[in-house]
Amino acid sequence: MRLEGKVAVVTGAGNGIGRCAGLRFAREGATVFLADVDGAAVEATQRAVSDAGGAAHAVACDVSDPDQVAALFERVDGEVGRLDVLYNNAGTAGPPGGVTDVDVATWNRVIDINVNGAFHCIRGAIPLMSAGGGSIINQASVAALVGGGPPAVGPVAAYTTAKSALLGLTRSVAYQFGERGVRCNALLPGTIDTAMTQPLMDSEAYVDGVVKATPLQRFGRPEEVASTALFLASDEASFITGESIVLDGGFVIAQGPVYTRMAL
Ligand SMILES: NC(=O)c1ccc[n+]([C@@H]2O[C@H](COP(=O)([O-])OP(=O)(O)OC[C@H]3O[C@@H](n4cnc5c(N)ncnc54)[C@H](O)[C@@H]3O)[C@@H](O)[C@H]2O)c1
């Protein structure tokens, strides 16, 4: 087992990629604190972990609220007294829109959950990791590498900005805490088939365009993101820090965002 005896926090663990990662980390031997703003969803994930023989705690927590995040890490401290892995997965895309279209409340909310949420969690996690080091994984997106989405999406300025900021946060944390044995890396998934992307899947222009412009000719699965997060969480990635891993079936290197603007 690749996380035997380790303690992990996974945020946004009620659905999609976070749920998958919570289940996978537990199967690999970790005690997992599953956090999500949706308390019922995260309790369902906890039951699924328990049914599979794993160890998990469900914590209702809005990562954009520093007090709720402090309570999450106090609970980790109280129950086990240390932390090995933090997967900052909680996020929201918000509605598509460019800089001049997005309303200020949406802009602030997207930055607050994606960027400030990771910031609060890292500040809670670091003191618990300082004894034996640890691994922090920030969930960015290929949105951090391009100016906007393909047809049927267009610009998503708040999300693009938020996910780009996570790359800077990743490098900053890797730089500062490397000497304590804390690694910090970012994951940049392309389109993964989850609830977040369901509205896009109804658009033929989006589905056809993206699949044709992706060398692997399909969308990703949450399990594939969870596997990569597991690799970064585990000692197999012991000399990797400050890095970004893209998991998009080749969409960006094939110039997918440019290509899908053309009629295919
Ligand atoms: N699905 C994709 O195509 C894709 C691609 C790139 C990156 N991502 C990123 O992966 C992460 C997970 O996305 P997903 O596709 O699994 O989405 P999802 O909607 O299936 O799950 C997201 C989970 O995060 C939780 N959440 C939302 N706001 C929260 C908050 N303030 N505090 C705590 N939890 C909160 C939700 O309740 C939900 O359970 C996000 O950061 C997303 O931006 C997703």
Side-chain angles (χ1 to χ4, degrees):
M1 289 202 283
R2 293 155 76 185
L3 298 181
E4 179 96 65
K6 300 213 186 234
V7 181
V9 167
V10 178
T11 67
N15 291 286
I17 296 165
R19 177 184 162 90
C20 241
L23 283 159
R24 185 74 201 275
F25 286 11
R27 210 162 65 229
E28 295 289 342
T31 297
V32 188
F33 287 78
L34 306 156
D36 201 291
V37 70
D38 183 340
V42 84
E43 274 169 26
T45 305
Q46 192 262 331
R47 279 194 299 278
V49 170
S50 295
D51 290 350
H57 305 263
V59 186
C61 173
D62 180 341
V63 295
S64 69
D65 180 337
D67 293 337
Q68 291 188 35
V69 171
L72 163 66
F73 287 95
E74 271 160 29
R75 175 135 178 228
V76 175
D77 195 16
E79 303 255 0
V80 283
R82 60 165 236 279
L83 184 67
D84 303 291
V85 176
L86 167 63
Y87 186 10
N88 278 320
N89 163 76
T92 183
V99 170
T100 49
D101 315 310
V102 65
D103 63 81
V104 172
T106 299
W107 175 274
N108 287 339
R109 187 82 190 124
V110 170
I111 301 289
D112 219 13
I113 295 174
N114 289 285
V115 185
N116 298 342
F119 166 72
H120 300 317
C121 287
I122 290 168
R123 282 155 65 99
I126 289 287
L128 297 177
M129 285 181 166
S130 54
S135 172
I136 297 171
I137 301 143
N138 292 326
Q139 186 84 309
S141 163
V142 291
L145 302 178
V146 297
V153 180
V156 276
Y159 189 65
T160 297
T161 303
K163 293 304 193 185
S164 303
L166 284 175
L167 304 188
L169 180 64
T170 298
R171 294 187 196 111
S172 181
V173 171
Y175 176 87
Q176 184 178 358
F177 297 106
E179 65 187 21
R180 291 208 217 161
V182 175
R183 297 182 294 105
C184 184
N185 294 288
L187 284 185
L188 287 73
T191 304
I192 309 299
D193 195 357
T194 67
M196 180 179 278
T197 48
Q198 273 324 293
L200 295 172
M201 299 300 185
D202 292 337
S203 159
E204 221 177 292
Y206 179 82
V207 172
D208 277 7
V210 173
V211 169
K212 280 184 191 149
T214 299
L216 292 184
Q217 298 279 287
R218 64 175 175 84
F219 296 112
R221 296 184 292 271
E223 291 79 6
E224 294 174 308
V225 186
S227 295
T228 314
L230 170 64
F231 166 67
L232 288 174
S234 76
D235 294 338
E236 286 163 31
S238 53
F239 204 47
I240 302 177
T241 195
E243 271 305 322
S244 302
I245 298 184
V246 177
L247 315 76
D248 70 345
F251 179 73
V252 170
I253 57 96
Q255 300 178 49
V258 174
Y259 191 55
T260 51
R261 292 182 75 86
M262 298 157 55
L264 294 172

